[in-house]
């Protein structure tokens, strides 16, 4: 009842249910009466209410009702509980009176309580000195409070010394602490260095079972001290100035990174990014320590380090300079082995979240190491994880990172090889689990690449999974279809739209699984509500179109840079640096605000060229696509033409409700691919990829997939209808 009453009195005050005068008259004496209740919990509850009341009471009421009685309540003759309450009330009252009143009436009580015979009272009063110092100002703090703090810092009670130390730290802003003499500066730095190695000088190799408990407890304290030193290491760099890091603090940083205790190394790994930022151009000094922490035997340390791994590697690669032209990581040959070893350790552990995070962070590698290094050291590993790992989030992280590696790969031959593997090993894989991961990859491709890229390489392999014998695959594809349709641009992609409609129509007519059929019906309604993007800019799709155009330009730039690099190698035998590529990529970007609204989002086909832009487009084709006019089409379009010839003889009626753009009946022409002038040159292969079609080259017969899950079947759980 006492606790409830204390809370109720406080609520009445906070809700301003009565005036301050009425509250003082009716409730204040009741609150003061129960401050010394024999139950500590009740006493503290009433004290919290009183401290809140002090904030709103007038000065005269505070003086007569609270301050004056404190003179007797703070005496040694009173109970310890009464003196503890007096300490907290004094700390609150300081901000309510002027400096003169504080000096005359409050500070004598403060001094008395700081010298109390009980250590609990001295400690409690010490922690209130910060509030008192804020109220009396700098001069009185130096003359009155500081001497008390210095005396309390030598107190026999450890809790009192700790309170004095923490209060001094909190009051540093009040004093002129920024002005150290050289001797003080050196003494402070040397003391910090000793704390960083505290406890490491003792002999190691002993058996813990033979160590006395007091020694073990002392070692735990030493570990805690070194951990706190690691936490404050960035502040010490500021203290000594980053330019003096190598002479003053490098050896200490080395010791913390090699500390035998995991909590210390974990803490310095958390601070590594801050240290890198502070060192700026001197970041090369801690290259080896980065390798050390990447190779740490504890996954906790690795997990702490990789939180900011992209930013750290970016600083390392540029040497802290934003306009640097040379990648500084070339002088760090151990980095790539350390990164690959870190991933393998994470993969071999049970901590899949660390593995997932590491794979996500590896997406930064195209910005810090070369395309060839990624291709030969990381890209195949991503494939292996996608194919063999049993943890779905890890597989998805590997898939997305692989797509980013593909996005920034600078060799067309390598890009085609990766695309071919994705289609053959995942999209046409024997395991339905791999085919599900292919659809995840398609989703990432849509997010990362341009619409034209997806349509050229992945559109048909994706929609051919409507024939998949496993219901879960067909179900996942249905969920993806709206995103697939969003990549189409009319009229250039009319033939692909017709192919999509034909697949959905077949699902509606032939699907036997009731769950898949229900999703198909919902998907059809969603597809019907979608508005198609046109080849020319539309106001409602303006921002998305600009982003897609920027992606296409960067993809085109990859091809142009590859050609330039080949020419340069023929001339002087030197490859083009990634930094030069990045500079050219930035230089070719067109500011959003400068783009006119009628610029086509991609290089359009003949059917989509408008009179106002045809000259510019033809000129662009001559300049950018000169070497691609006579190149072979993607083999999948050959399959499309076969489908088209069959469909044109049988006739075709599009599924109602698959978009607001009308679709004509199929003819052979409607299935023709975009010609060389309409295909973005960045995707025109020097050699055609093998067929990506599962529907024509391969029979739709479920038995042809050749795996144990080839026969259609359902499991009892709807979320996963068959076992891998």
């Amino acid at each position: 009842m006492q606790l409830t009453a204390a809370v109720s009195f406080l609520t009445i005050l906070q809700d301003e249910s009565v005036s301050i005068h009425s509250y003082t008259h009716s409730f204040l004496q009741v609150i003061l009466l129960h401050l010394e209740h024999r139950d500590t919990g009740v006493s503290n509850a009433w004290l919290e209410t009183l401290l809140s009341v002090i904030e709103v009471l007038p000065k005269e009421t505070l003086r007569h009702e609270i301050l004056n009685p404190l003179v007797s309540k703070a005496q040694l003759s009173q109970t310890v509980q009464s003196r503890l309450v007096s300490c907290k009330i004094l700390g609150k009252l300081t901000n309510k009176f002027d400096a003169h009143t504080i000096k005359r009436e409050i500070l004598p009580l403060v001094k008395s309580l700081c010298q109390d015979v009980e250590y609990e009272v001295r400690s409690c009063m010490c922690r209130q000195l910060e509030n008192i110092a804020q109220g009396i100002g700098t001069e009185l703090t130096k003359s009155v409070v500081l001497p008390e703090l210095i005396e309390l810092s030598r107190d026999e009670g450890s809790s009192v010394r700790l309170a004095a130390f923490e209060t001094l730290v909190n009051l540093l802003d009040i004093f002129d602490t920024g002005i150290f003499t050289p001797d003080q500066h050196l003494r402070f730095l040397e003391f910090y260095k000793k704390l960083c190695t505290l406890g490491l000088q003792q002999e190691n190799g002993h058996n813990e079972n033979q160590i006395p408990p007091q020694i073990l407890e002392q070692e735990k304290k030493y570990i805690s001290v070194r951990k706190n030193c690691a936490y404050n290491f960035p502040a010490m760099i500021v203290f000594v100035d980053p330019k003096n890091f190598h002479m003053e603090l490098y050896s200490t940083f080395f010791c913390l990174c090699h500390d035998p205790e995991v909590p210390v190394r974990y803490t310095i790994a958390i601070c590594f990014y801050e240290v890198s930022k502070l060192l700026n151009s001197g970041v090369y000094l801690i290259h080896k320590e980065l390798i050390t922490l990447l190779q740490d035997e504890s996954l906790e340390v690795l997990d702490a380090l990789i939180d900011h791994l992209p930013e750290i590697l970016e600083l390392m690669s540029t040497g802290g300079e934003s306009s640097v032209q040379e990648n500084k990581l070339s002088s760090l040959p151990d980095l790539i082995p350390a990164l690959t070893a870190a991933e393998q350790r994470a993969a071999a552990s049970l901590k899949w979240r660390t593995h997932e995070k590491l794979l996500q962070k590896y997406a930064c590698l195209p910005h810090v190491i070369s395309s060839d290094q990624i291709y030969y050291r990381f890209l195949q590993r991503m494939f292996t994880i996608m194919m063999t790992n049993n943890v779905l989030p890890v597989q998805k992280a590997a898939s997305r990172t692989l797509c980013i590696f593909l996005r920034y790969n600078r060799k067309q031959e390598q890009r085609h090889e990766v695309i071919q593997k994705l289609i053959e090993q995942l999209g046409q894989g024997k395991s339905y689990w791999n085919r599900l991961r292919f659809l995840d990859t398609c989703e990432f491709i849509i997010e990362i690449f341009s619409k034209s890229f997806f349509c050229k390489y992945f559109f048909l392999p994706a929609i051919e999974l409507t024939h998949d014998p496993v219901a879960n695959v067909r179900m996942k594809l249905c969920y993806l279809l709206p995103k697939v349709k969003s990549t189409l641009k009319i009229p250039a992609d009319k033939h692909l739209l017709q192919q999509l409609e034909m697949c959905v129509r077949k699902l509606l007519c032939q699907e036997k699984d009731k769950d898949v059929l229900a999703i198909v019906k919902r998907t059809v309604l969603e597809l019907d509500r979608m508005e198609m993007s046109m080849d020319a800019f539309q106001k409602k799709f303006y921002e998305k179109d600009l982003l897609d155009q920027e992606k296409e330009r960067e993809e085109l730039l990859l091809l142009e840079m590859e050609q330039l690099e080949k020419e340069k190698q023929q001339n002087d035998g030197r490859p083009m640096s990634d930094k030069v590529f990045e500079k050219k990529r930035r230089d070719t970007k067109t500011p959003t605000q400068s783009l006119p609204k009628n610029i086509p989002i991609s290089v359009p086909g003949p059917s989509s060229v408008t009179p106002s832009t045809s000259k510019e487009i033809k000129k662009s084709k001559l300049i950018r696509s000169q070497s691609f006019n006579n190149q072979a089409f993607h083999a999948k379009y050959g399959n499309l033409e076969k489908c088209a010839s069959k469909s044109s003889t049988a006739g075709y009626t599009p599924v109602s409700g698959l978009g607001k753009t009308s679709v004509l009946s199929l003819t052979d022409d409607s299935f023709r691919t975009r010609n060389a002038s309409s295909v973005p040159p960045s995707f025109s292969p020097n050699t055609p990829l093998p067929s990506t079609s599962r529907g024509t080259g391969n029979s739709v017969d479920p038995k042809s997939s050749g795996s144990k899950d080839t026969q259609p079947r359902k499991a009892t759980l709807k979320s996963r209808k068959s076992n891998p």
Side-chain angles (χ1 to χ4, degrees):
M1 188 178 69
Q2 290 281 345
L3 293 174
T4 305
V7 173
S8 300
F9 281 26
L10 181 59
T11 303
I12 293 171
L13 175 70
Q14 292 172 340
D15 293 348
E16 299 180 356
S17 303
V18 297
S19 66
I20 295 299
H21 176 76
S22 299
Y23 190 93
T24 303
H25 179 73
S26 303
F27 299 109
L28 183 58
Q29 290 304 319
V30 179
I31 296 172
L32 293 172
L33 179 65
H34 291 89
L35 285 178
E36 297 181 35
H37 196 281
R38 62 180 179 275
D39 186 288
T40 305
V42 171
S43 175
N44 288 336
W46 285 111
L47 177 60
E48 290 301 317
T49 301
L50 177 63
L51 295 179
S52 298
V53 171
I54 288 174
E55 292 287 347
V56 296
L57 291 179
K59 285 185 180 181
E60 286 305 313
T61 303
L62 290 174
R63 183 190 298 275
H64 293 296
E65 301 293 339
I66 298 177
L67 180 57
N68 290 342
L70 276 184
V71 176
S72 61
K73 297 290 184 182
Q75 300 302 315
L76 284 175
S77 57
Q78 298 293 322
T79 64
V80 172
Q81 178 66 19
S82 176
R83 303 202 300 274
L84 288 172
V85 168
S86 299
C87 293
K88 295 179 180 179
I89 294 176
L90 284 171
K92 197 72 173 181
L93 285 175
T94 308
N95 294 327
K96 306 300 293 186
F97 294 99
D98 57 83
H100 178 72
T101 303
I102 294 172
K103 184 177 181 180
R104 190 182 73 247
E105 300 184 25
I106 293 181
L107 287 184
L109 294 176
V110 170
K111 286 185 176 182
S112 173
L113 292 168
C114 283
Q115 298 168 6
D116 196 278
V117 294
E118 298 292 339
Y119 76 90
E120 299 106 312
V121 177
R122 298 196 301 274
S123 176
C124 183
M125 192 65 253
C126 183
R127 293 191 180 277
Q128 299 301 319
L129 291 179
E130 181 182 353
N131 294 330
I132 292 170
Q134 300 290 346
I136 63 178
T138 304
E139 294 305 318
L140 273 178
T141 297
K142 289 181 178 179
S143 60
V144 179
V145 175
L146 190 56
E148 295 295 332
L149 276 174
I150 293 174
E151 185 175 346
L152 290 169
S153 66
R154 304 190 184 103
D155 196 278
E156 60 184 13
S158 60
S159 63
V160 180
R161 296 197 302 272
L162 178 61
F165 179 78
E166 290 179 352
T167 303
L168 275 169
V169 171
N170 293 337
L171 290 177
L172 285 178
D173 290 339
I174 294 180
F175 308 127
D176 298 328
T177 53
I179 305 174
F180 272 27
T181 65
D183 183 57
Q184 290 172 330
H185 188 282
L186 181 61
R187 193 188 319 161
F188 188 86
L189 180 60
E190 290 302 320
F191 185 67
Y192 172 78
K193 290 180 180 179
K194 288 181 181 178
L195 291 178
C196 288
T197 58
L198 188 65
L200 297 181
Q201 299 84 358
Q202 298 179 1
E203 185 177 351
N204 294 324
H206 47 248
N207 187 347
E208 291 189 1
N209 296 327
Q210 301 174 356
I211 304 176
Q214 60 271 24
I215 301 298
L216 283 175
E217 190 64 28
Q218 187 180 44
E219 286 188 357
K220 289 181 181 178
K221 291 181 179 179
Y222 290 160
I223 294 171
S224 178
V225 169
R226 300 201 304 274
K227 176 183 174 181
N228 289 328
C229 287
Y231 180 83
N232 286 283
F233 191 85
M236 291 303 298
I237 295 180
V238 176
F239 179 74
V240 303
D241 196 309
K243 65 183 180 182
N244 297 321
F245 169 80
H246 188 258
M247 293 294 296
E248 301 285 2
L249 282 176
Y250 174 75
S251 59
T252 302
F253 186 68
F254 177 89
C255 290
L256 292 172
C257 291
H258 291 80
D259 194 279
E261 299 298 332
V262 171
V264 181
R265 302 198 306 275
Y266 172 85
T267 305
I268 201 65
I270 290 176
C271 299
F272 200 95
Y273 173 52
E274 285 296 321
V275 173
S276 302
K277 283 198 302 183
L278 289 169
L279 292 181
N280 200 17
S281 59
V283 71
Y284 69 92
L285 294 170
I286 58 173
H287 277 182
K288 293 181 180 179
E289 282 62 45
L290 173 63
I291 303 302
T292 298
L293 294 177
L294 281 171
Q295 296 174 333
D296 197 283
E297 61 184 12
S298 170
L299 281 181
E300 293 179 11
V301 176
L302 178 63
D303 190 88
L305 181 68
I306 62 179
D307 280 335
H308 291 286
L309 185 63
E311 295 88 346
I312 293 171
L313 292 179
E314 181 70 20
L315 287 169
M316 293 281 185
S317 66
T318 61
E321 302 169 19
S322 58
S323 60
V324 71
Q325 295 296 320
E326 182 183 356
N327 193 323
K328 302 293 180 66
L329 287 179
S330 58
S331 62
L332 192 60
D334 295 335
L335 175 63
I336 292 177
L339 289 172
T340 55
E343 186 276 322
Q344 290 170 359
R345 285 202 317 280
S349 73
L350 296 177
K351 297 182 179 180
W352 63 264
R353 288 181 176 85
T354 299
H355 193 199
E356 177 194 17
K357 188 199 299 187
L358 187 62
L359 293 175
Q360 291 170 345
K361 300 299 182 182
Y362 278 6
C364 74
L365 292 181
H367 302 293
V368 293
I369 62 177
S370 73
S371 175
D372 279 343
Q373 287 173 318
I374 291 174
Y375 180 77
Y376 291 110
R377 300 301 298 272
F378 294 96
L379 206 145
Q380 182 55 46
R381 177 60 181 164
M382 298 301 111
F383 260 116
T384 302
I385 294 170
M386 292 170 64
M387 300 284 289
T388 62
N389 197 281
N390 295 324
V391 182
L392 179 57
V394 172
Q395 286 183 313
K396 287 189 174 183
S399 174
R400 192 179 194 283
T401 299
L402 183 143
C403 290
I404 293 176
F405 289 168
L406 176 61
R407 173 74 172 80
Y408 291 100
N409 187 283
R410 292 175 52 192
K411 291 189 177 179
Q412 193 176 22
E413 181 181 352
Q414 293 176 357
R415 290 198 297 273
H416 286 167
E417 181 184 340
V418 175
I419 293 169
Q420 181 174 330
K421 279 187 175 182
L422 285 171
I423 294 170
E424 292 181 353
Q425 297 183 21
L426 293 180
Q428 299 172 356
K430 293 182 179 181
S431 169
Y432 92 103
W433 191 252
N434 288 342
R435 300 197 294 275
L436 287 174
R437 299 294 72 77
F438 176 74
L439 292 176
D440 289 331
T441 304
C442 285
E443 192 167 0
F444 295 135
I445 292 287
I446 292 172
E447 172 196 345
I448 296 168
F449 289 81
S450 68
K451 296 177 180 179
S452 297
F453 183 93
F454 178 81
C455 289
K456 181 169 180 60
Y457 293 115
F458 291 94
F459 186 93
L460 290 178
I463 66 172
E464 283 166 5
L465 291 177
T466 54
H467 311 305
D468 198 277
V470 178
N472 274 51
V473 178
R474 301 195 302 274
M475 186 181 297
K476 188 175 183 68
L477 175 62
C478 290
Y479 285 120
L480 185 63
L481 284 179
K483 290 186 178 180
V484 170
K485 185 181 178 183
S486 70
T487 64
L488 300 177
K489 292 175 286 188
I490 299 301
D493 293 325
K494 183 175 67 175
H495 60 289
L496 295 180
L497 176 62
Q498 291 171 338
Q499 189 80 349
L500 173 64
E501 291 178 338
M502 190 160 54
C503 291
V504 175
R505 180 170 179 261
K506 185 171 182 179
L507 278 175
L508 280 172
C509 297
Q510 300 180 7
E511 182 58 57
K512 296 178 181 179
D513 187 286
K514 62 179 183 180
D515 298 314
V516 178
L517 184 59
I519 295 171
V520 172
K521 291 178 180 178
R522 290 202 301 269
T523 302
V524 168
L525 295 176
E526 185 175 352
L527 292 173
D528 181 48
R529 290 192 294 266
M530 291 180 63
E531 295 191 37
M532 297 293 294
S533 177
M534 310 299 288
D535 277 336
F537 273 109
Q538 294 172 279
K539 188 173 183 180
K540 53 189 155 186
F541 299 125
Y542 189 69
E543 291 184 5
K544 293 182 180 179
D545 287 351
L546 287 177
L547 179 61
D548 186 67
Q549 186 184 54
E550 188 59 41
K551 290 178 181 178
E552 273 199 40
R553 287 183 176 179
E554 291 189 6
E555 290 159 2
L556 172 62
L557 178 61
L558 285 170
L559 191 67
E560 293 177 350
M561 296 301 293
E562 181 182 5
Q563 186 64 30
L564 289 173
E565 189 169 323
K566 288 180 180 178
E567 294 174 0
K568 186 175 180 63
Q569 286 177 338
Q570 291 174 357
N571 293 335
D572 54 19
R574 290 184 300 172
M576 182 178 297
S577 71
D578 285 348
K579 289 296 175 182
V580 175
F581 164 73
E582 285 295 319
K583 183 177 184 299
K584 184 170 178 62
R585 182 181 67 83
R586 289 193 298 269
D587 292 344
T588 57
K589 285 186 177 180
T590 303
T592 299
Q593 62 270 23
S594 66
L595 288 173
K597 294 184 179 180
N598 61 347
I599 292 181
I601 189 165
S602 62
V603 182
S607 61
S608 64
V609 176
T610 60
S612 61
T613 59
S614 59
K615 292 182 179 179
E616 289 83 350
I617 292 169
K618 289 178 181 177
K619 183 177 180 181
S620 175
K621 292 174 188 173
L622 288 173
I623 294 173
R624 296 189 176 186
S625 306
Q626 203 168 24
S627 61
F628 304 101
N629 287 334
N630 298 318
Q631 297 201 0
F633 295 140
H634 196 290
K636 69 182 180 182
Y637 294 111
N639 293 327
L640 262 180
E641 290 174 359
K642 294 178 184 178
C643 296
S645 60
K646 295 178 183 179
S647 301
S648 61
T649 58
Y652 171 70
T653 304
V655 179
S656 61
L658 285 188
K660 298 184 179 179
T661 303
S662 61
V663 181
L664 303 175
S665 60
L666 292 181
T667 64
D668 287 345
D669 289 340
S670 68
F671 275 101
R672 288 177 186 165
T673 182
R674 307 177 196 182
N675 57 26
S677 64
S678 65
V679 175
S682 57
F683 308 130
S684 301
N686 290 326
T687 57
L689 286 173
S691 172
T692 61
S693 173
R694 286 171 55 88
T696 55
N698 269 342
S699 171
V700 180
D701 184 359
K703 296 181 181 179
S704 65
S705 65
S707 70
K708 62 183 180 181
D709 57 0
T710 53
Q711 294 298 332
R713 62 182 182 269
K714 292 196 295 180
T716 55
L717 293 177
K718 299 301 183 185
S719 60
R720 180 173 293 177
K721 293 185 173 289
S722 61
N723 295 323

